[in-house]
Amino acid sequence: MTDTEATRHPETPAEVASAILDAIETRPDAFNYDGQPLADLVQALVDEAVRQATWEYASTLLARLGACTCCGEDIGRTAFARSSGLLARILDTARPGHRHLVCSVSAAPETLVAVLHADTDPGGASQVDEAEALEFTTVLALGLATRSPGGLVIRTTTPSAPDQVYGWRLRKGDFEPLTAGEIFDAYCTDVDSGGLVSPESDVDYCVPPDLGHEATPSTHRH
């Protein structure tokens, strides 16, 4: 499989069928049929296949980075460790409830996107799907390691309270918080026309919480 094929979504019936079989072989425990419509089941299988392909592609690129020629540090491994720490801090500092995170990284031949859903249990601990978390962490690590442009946005939903939306940008390997105005513009601008759209009701577009030392700029600058 080439890099381009690894990130291209299945389109033809044959490609969809192949993607479904690959997804079932990779994670058979993730697909329990509970009587849902076939169209919903097929979409879930395709989504899982795309997620697997995204993780494989991002992992391959990280591995190819190898060691730094100046200090010998494993660039991909270091970025993954930093990415894991950032994700942990993002979830720890987020308001309890349902959290929906999206990370996008500009990488040839197309932008990589990873999605993570996280809920909190009665004890306040975050509950995530391990495969989603691995893909999310890997895509974020790739953006940090390659210093590619990108971003991460989180939306938290809690009963009887407005949703909170905030995020960060990836810039030259650094993780920078977005202002409330920037996140508002991102959510309230029509992608096609560039015009403004009405903001959602009961949504607070705000600055992200302080992540502490986990969000400090990378020390690997070679």
Side-chain angles (χ1 to χ4, degrees), residues 93-104:
T93 57
R95 189 175 60 181
H98 176 71
R99 281 76 64 82
H100 179 260
L101 298 86
V102 178
C103 178
S104 62

Side-chain angles (χ1 to χ4, degrees), residues 134-180:
L134 179 60
E135 179 211 12
F136 194 93
T137 305
T138 304
V139 170
L140 177 57
L142 180 63
L144 295 171
T146 59
R147 302 183 182 181
S148 300
L152 190 158
V153 174
I154 177 173
R155 180 169 185 155
T156 64
T157 302
T158 303
S160 304
D163 286 7
Q164 284 188 341
V165 179
Y166 52 86
W168 298 261
R169 70 167 56 86
L170 294 175
R171 177 183 290 172
K172 296 181 180 180
D174 290 338
F175 203 60
E176 303 175 352
L178 295 170
T179 67

Side-chain angles (χ1 to χ4, degrees), residues 171-196:
R171 177 183 290 172
K172 296 181 180 180
D174 290 338
F175 203 60
E176 303 175 352
L178 295 170
T179 67
E182 287 172 328
I183 199 69
F184 178 89
D185 289 343
Y187 268 77
C188 300
T189 301
D190 185 270
V191 176
D192 295 324
S193 68
L196 294 177

Side-chain angles (χ1 to χ4, degrees), residues 95-99 118-127:
R95 189 175 60 181
H98 176 71
R99 281 76 64 82
D119 293 296
T120 49
D121 62 19
S126 294
Q127 302 294 313

